Every structure is written in structure tokens, then in C-alpha cells.
Amino acid sequence: MKKSNIILGAAFMALGLGACTKLDEKPYSEITVDNFYRNREEVMSAVLRPFTHANAWAAPTGQLGYWRVSELSADQLAWPQKGRHGYDGGNWIRLHNHQWIANDDNVWNPWNLMFWGMGFCNATIRDLSSLDFTKIGMTEADKTSIIAETKVLRAWHYLKLMDLYGNIPVVTQVGVPESPATKPRKEVFEFIEKEIRDNAEQLQPLSPQLVGRVTKAGAYAMLVELYLNAEEWTGTPRWDDCITYCNKIIAGDGGSLAGSIPALEPNITNAFANTNSNSPEGLFQIAYDFRSGNFRFGWNGDFWHYRQRQIYNADRDGNNGIVVIPTAFDAFKDKDLRKQQWMLIGSMKKDPALRTSEADSLVLGTEEYSDKPLVFVKEIRRNSEGETGEGGMTRGEENSGARFAKYLPGKTDDPNYWGNDFMLYRLTEIYYNKAEALMRKNGKMATQEAVDLINTCKKRAFKAADWTTEAYTTTTLTMDELLAERGREFIFEGKRREDMIRFGKFTTATWWDHKPTADKYKLFAIPFRQLSINPNLKQNPGFE
């Protein structure tokens, strides 16, 4: 695996923090850009810091960031209270019911984490812009590419902030201005578009040596997302621009992790396996390497049961938190391999290496089913008390809900154990996005090209004998079906809220126990903590 750059950056950050205790350090007043960045490794530690920080907000790694609020406010995933566990101040119930307010953790934490990461980008751009790269054995071409990469990464932070909050301040210098003013979403969109397009062609093409970095492929994928949502975000559709950048990615203009052009994986598991750092589907991913850098994609905290390590012979358990909503589970046909392989349901068995006998093969519960077989069920209700019906967010038990299995760590003796990267953009999404743009251009009716794009991907989720009845036609691929199919393909990937808003369903649809809500909830409130210290910020409509 070619993840050394990301791991090296994390290691140098740790060393830099530890160095503050050395008595022979220069006084801070004597530290300048020229004597702080003395070689390529020290430059790269600054460049890579925002990447390692993105682990905290862009992926399901146990923090309340972009991923969590995007998924738990939509129609596929929830964190219900399960007996005495999981109420957590009602945070996840408010997300599920669309009841957040300006002083809510659900509003503050993602804002804080993402602006924090954006600040890392600004600091790196400031420092490296004034650095003479030739004095540390690097070239002006290196400098141009690195600064372009950091600007695009900053734009990606703003893209995600704009998605959640709409109208936000845009800051490109550290501490300047001190109290930035809110900008309308359309102006933020224009800034992001210009920042990416001005810098994309100065980036390096994607290659195995640049896994986890922002390359042309990643920049093009950001533009695809930007243009796909342009009508919602600015009022003006940009379908042709979306298609243009989809085509550039598919043609290999942005590079590839394997071969001359990116390619779909032949099955539904390789793109998420612990060897996925070289997946031909990958376009931009958060790179992890537990073996080399003790840096792992820690999804277990959000998803795994208290005894789930026994299922995989892993070294960690979880908080028994996020589960699949019953109506989302039912949206998959039983013969859909994504339902069979990306989710856990039914009786759980220990990994064979952990069994002392056949009688010792079952994983046992710890709460309502203490010392009884742990059997995951799709319902979220008090089955142990005889409850029937739909249940609810406060009615869960330790075994409620189908569980996440899209990413699997491998066993502890696997040389790639827990080396999975988190896919931020992958080629399958580009196929689906191009198909959607084609359909929207065609009066929201499927074209044959759109059908072919979706079928090429979806076919991997069915056995050959089942495929003849599952393939779409221009008649069966409606807009509603496309949204449903996007949900099945991208479940757990942090895409669902954005998709539902674009399809007009986020505040109008009913799912499981969730009822339609007010249109203002297509945005999160501007955090009260920020409003109280910055008089130039304006609250989003409806949250005043």
C-alpha cells in the first residue's frame, strides 16, 4: 500500500507537538517559516494535517461531524435509545425528528470541526506561500502543486459547510477579518467553483503514490458534486457541467489508482476491503494504515455492538449505536447482495478461532439478552417485552436494527488488518451522478445511456440468474426509483441527506416513525456560540 505520505504527516505532527518540552528549543519569537520548514518532510507534515483532521468529521469515526448529521437526519440510519443506553441528551432523536436548534451540539460540532480543518488549510497556504522551496531541496513546481492542492482541499471544506449551513462566512487568511460576515450561499458556491477550477489543472493526476491526497480526479469529483447540487444551492441547474466533469473522470483525465483510467470493481466488496487503497474505483479517500501508522478508520465506535469483536476476531468492540432503519432495510430485496453482505441480521456467531466448542459458537448479549444468543433483528422496539408495531427512537434494545458490515477489518493476524480507507468519492458515484444529470436534462425521464450507467453498477449486486428481472429499462428507472437505488448503493457513505434534499424528499417524506417537517430543516442553524461572538453573522431563516 502506498499510504506513507499520510502516515508520515500524522507522525510528524505528533513529533512536533512533543517537541515543545525540549529545553534547547528556540524561543517562539525566533521561529519563522524559513527555519521551521527545513525539508520536504516538514513541509508535508503541514500539507497533510487537514487530511488527518478530516478523519474527525468526514468519516464515521465516533465524532459528531458532517457524516453523522448527514446520515442520522435522513431515512436510512438512526441511533435509537436501546434500554439504558444511547439517549445521549436526545441528540440523535432530535436529528432523526428534525428538531435541532441553534445551541444544539448537532449544530455546533460539525461547524467547529470543519472550520478547524479549514483553518489548517489557511495556515499551510500562508506559510508555504512565503517559503523559498529551492532552499529545502524542492522546486517551484512542487510549491505550485502543493498550494493548489491545499486550496482545493479548503474548497472541499467550504463545499461541505455550505451543504449543511448554506449561508456562511468565507475566510482565506488566518485571523483576517476578525469577525467575518455571512455570505449568501450563491456567493459561497461561486467562491468554491472558482477555487477548484483555478487550481485543478495544477494538481497531479491520481496515482498509487498519491492515495489519500487531493489530485485532479478528486477535484473533478468535487466539481461533479457541486454541479449536481447547483440547482438546490444557487437556483440555477448546471447539468451539462456535471456531465462534463463526469466524462473527464471516466475518461481518465484525472488519473487512476490502477491502470490508465479508473474502473469499477467487479464485485460489491473490493472497494471497501482492507486492501482498498489501490481500488480502481477510488477517486478521493481518507487513507488509513493501522499496521504502519496505528491510524485506523474506527467505524466500530459508532456501529459495533458491545461484543462485536467476537464476530470478526478483532481487537475492539463498539458503543452499539447506529443501526439501519426498518424501512431502509426493507428497501433492499432479499436477493440483493448488498443486503446480504453490507448488513448484519440474525444470529451472530463467533469467529471460529475464538470458539472452544460448537456449543461456544454463539455471541451472547449483555443487556436485555444477557447471556442469551445475540440475534440482530430489523425492528427497533421492545421485543423482549412483547411489543409489536413500528417501535420508535426510544424503544430499542441491544439487538435492534440491522448492523453495518460494508467495511470489514479482517482478522487480527491479517497483514492488512484494519487498513481500510474511507471512500469519499468513488467511480460508481460518478456513474450514478451522470445518469441523474442526463435524466434531469431529459425532463426527469430516463435515457438509454442513463439506464446503462446504472445497470453497469447495479448488476454487481445480483447473481446472474436474478439479473434478468432486476435490470432497469427506460420505463422502470424513474426519478423515485433512482433515489431509492442511490440509497441502496451508497448506504453508510454519508450521501443520503444531500440526495434527499436534491430530490425534494428530505422535509416532505415519511419513513419509519419520522413525519414530514418544516422546510427550514434543509439547513442547520448557524451555531449560537458563533453568533454570540461574531455580530456579523446572520442566522438562517426560521432559526432566529
Side-chain angles (χ1 to χ4, degrees):
M1 291 186 285
K2 302 291 186 179
K3 304 186 185 183
S4 56
N5 283 335
I6 298 292
I7 304 305
L8 182 64
F12 266 87
M13 283 304 301
L15 289 171
L17 292 172
C20 293
T21 61
K22 291 179 66 176
L23 299 179
D24 59 350
E25 288 289 333
K26 288 189 176 184
Y28 288 116
S29 60
E30 295 181 26
I31 296 177
T32 66
V33 167
D34 287 330
N35 61 36
F36 184 79
Y37 297 104
R38 297 164 297 181
N39 51 53
R40 176 182 289 272
E41 288 73 20
E42 290 175 352
V43 167
M44 295 311 301
S45 72
V47 172
L48 298 175
R49 185 64 184 95
F51 290 92
T52 56
H53 178 77
N55 164 70
W57 63 265
T61 54
Q63 296 205 48
L64 180 47
Y66 175 89
W67 184 94
R68 190 179 287 183
V69 300
S70 294
E71 288 288 10
L72 297 192
S73 62
D75 66 347
Q76 291 188 304
L77 305 180
W79 189 323
Q81 181 179 355
K82 305 177 191 72
R84 60 183 178 140
H85 298 291
Y87 181 71
D88 298 340
N91 274 340
W92 324 132
I93 295 172
R94 291 194 297 280
L95 271 177
H96 178 75
N97 291 331
H98 296 183
Q99 295 172 332
W100 51 82
I101 56 178
N103 64 354
D104 206 322
D105 286 346
N106 294 319
V107 166
W108 162 249
N109 281 47
W111 174 286
N112 182 47
L113 285 169
M114 286 190 281
F115 269 109
W116 190 354
M118 184 278 299
F120 284 133
C121 295
N122 278 345
T124 297
I125 293 166
R126 176 199 62 192
D127 290 352
L128 300 189
S129 293
S130 62
L131 180 65
D132 186 344
F133 271 51
T134 62
K135 290 182 178 179
I136 59 171
M138 300 180 73
T139 66
E140 284 301 306
D142 291 331
K143 179 176 182 176
T144 297
S145 179
I146 284 172
I147 291 177
E149 179 179 5
T150 309
K151 286 183 175 180
V152 173
L153 184 61
R154 179 176 64 187
W156 176 63
H157 282 72
Y158 275 118
L159 190 158
K160 296 303 185 182
L161 281 159
M162 178 184 65
D163 175 28
L164 292 187
Y165 301 98
N167 313 294
I168 58 174
V170 173
V171 179
T172 58
Q173 298 180 62
V174 178
V176 180
E178 185 175 337
S179 297
T182 299
K183 289 188 177 295
R185 194 183 226 177
K186 186 174 185 295
E187 288 186 27
V188 181
F189 181 101
E190 291 167 352
F191 166 79
I192 294 166
E193 178 185 23
K194 185 176 189 303
E195 196 84 338
I196 298 176
R197 293 188 66 158
D198 284 354
N199 291 283
E201 299 310 316
Q202 299 178 64
L203 300 175
Q204 299 179 68
L206 179 61
S207 69
Q209 290 71 34
L210 293 173
V211 64
R213 299 274 300 279
V214 174
T215 63
K216 286 183 179 180
Y220 295 163
M222 294 172 199
L223 288 171
V224 168
E225 180 181 2
L226 191 72
Y227 293 136
L228 187 67
N229 292 283
E231 185 172 34
E232 174 65 30
W233 291 345
T234 71
T236 302
R238 302 283 293 273
W239 311 127
D240 285 329
D241 289 323
C242 178
I243 292 166
T244 292
Y245 281 93
C246 287
N247 288 340
K248 288 173 75 70
I249 291 169
I250 293 168
D253 292 356
S256 169
L257 288 176
S260 58
I261 60 173
L264 297 176
E265 289 281 10
N267 56 52
I268 64 169
T269 56
N270 284 2
F272 314 104
N274 62 15
T275 55
N276 70 342
S277 65
N278 58 7
S279 170
E281 277 208 32
L283 301 173
F284 180 35
Q285 57 219 66
I286 300 179
Y288 299 90
D289 195 330
F290 179 62
R291 290 297 191 205
S292 299
N294 197 27
F295 185 45
R296 73 171 102 192
F297 171 19
W299 65 79
N300 57 293
D302 275 354
F303 290 113
W304 279 14
H305 182 270
Y306 310 123
R307 287 184 171 171
Q308 197 152 335
R309 74 170 70 192
Q310 296 178 9
I311 300 172
Y312 302 113
N313 190 14
D315 68 324
R316 291 186 176 182
D317 287 310
N319 296 316
N320 201 27
I322 298 172
V323 304
V324 179
I325 288 172
T327 48
F329 183 77
D330 288 339
F332 292 79
K333 294 182 178 180
D334 288 343
K335 58 187 175 182
D336 191 327
L337 298 178
R338 296 170 296 194
K339 185 177 190 177
Q340 298 173 24
Q341 297 180 26
W342 289 352
M343 291 177 270
L344 294 180
I345 198 78
S347 182
M348 295 297 107
K349 291 191 174 183
K350 296 179 182 177
D351 182 87
L354 301 180
R355 304 174 192 175
T356 59
S357 65
E358 184 59 31
D360 184 42
S361 65
L362 297 177
V363 177
L364 304 181
T366 63
E367 300 293 322
E368 293 87 357
Y369 301 93
S370 179
D371 297 326
K372 297 177 182 178
L374 179 63
V375 181
F376 292 134
V377 297
K378 75 170 185 178
E379 297 85 12
I380 302 174
R381 66 189 183 201
R382 305 294 296 174
N383 282 346
S384 67
E385 300 170 4
E387 182 176 347
T388 59
E390 71 177 11
M393 282 292 288
T394 62
R395 305 300 300 159
E397 298 184 320
E398 68 170 306
N399 67 339
S400 294
R403 304 305 173 96
F404 168 94
K406 197 166 192 175
Y407 287 83
L408 299 176
K411 299 180 182 181
T412 50
D413 60 354
D414 185 332
N416 298 305
Y417 177 65
W418 224 306
N420 318 63
D421 291 352
F422 180 63
M423 291 289 183
L424 296 165
Y425 297 106
R426 58 187 178 100
L427 185 63
T428 298
E429 184 179 359
I430 303 306
Y431 276 49
Y432 276 60
N433 290 353
K434 181 180 178 182
E436 181 181 333
L438 288 167
M439 290 175 67
R440 291 187 183 277
K441 275 191 65 180
N442 193 45
K444 298 185 178 181
M445 302 289 289
T447 65
Q448 188 59 50
E449 184 180 6
V451 169
D452 292 343
L453 286 163
I454 301 298
N455 279 343
T456 299
C457 303
K458 182 186 175 187
K459 186 175 183 179
R460 301 172 299 179
F462 293 89
K463 295 179 180 178
D466 296 325
W467 178 241
T468 53
T469 59
E470 295 302 322
Y472 287 125
T473 67
T474 54
T475 302
T476 59
L477 185 59
T478 63
M479 291 301 291
D480 282 346
E481 180 57 26
L482 178 59
L483 177 61
E485 173 58 21
R486 288 187 71 99
R488 290 185 286 265
E489 179 63 31
F490 302 113
I491 189 169
F492 305 119
E493 295 188 42
K495 313 286 183 182
R496 192 59 176 170
R497 172 187 164 276
E498 187 179 282
D499 283 354
M500 291 188 74
I501 290 173
R502 194 172 61 254
F503 278 78
K505 303 293 187 181
F506 186 67
T507 58
T508 63
T510 298
W511 57 87
W512 183 40
D513 68 337
H514 175 97
K515 302 300 186 289
T517 55
D519 207 45
K520 72 176 186 178
Y521 290 107
K522 290 198 292 185
L523 292 178
F524 284 82
I526 304 301
F528 175 77
R529 295 189 214 185
Q530 289 300 120
L531 291 168
S532 65
I533 62 174
N534 182 355
N536 295 324
L537 292 180
K538 294 181 180 179
Q539 183 56 274
N540 282 327
F543 293 101
E544 298 92 341

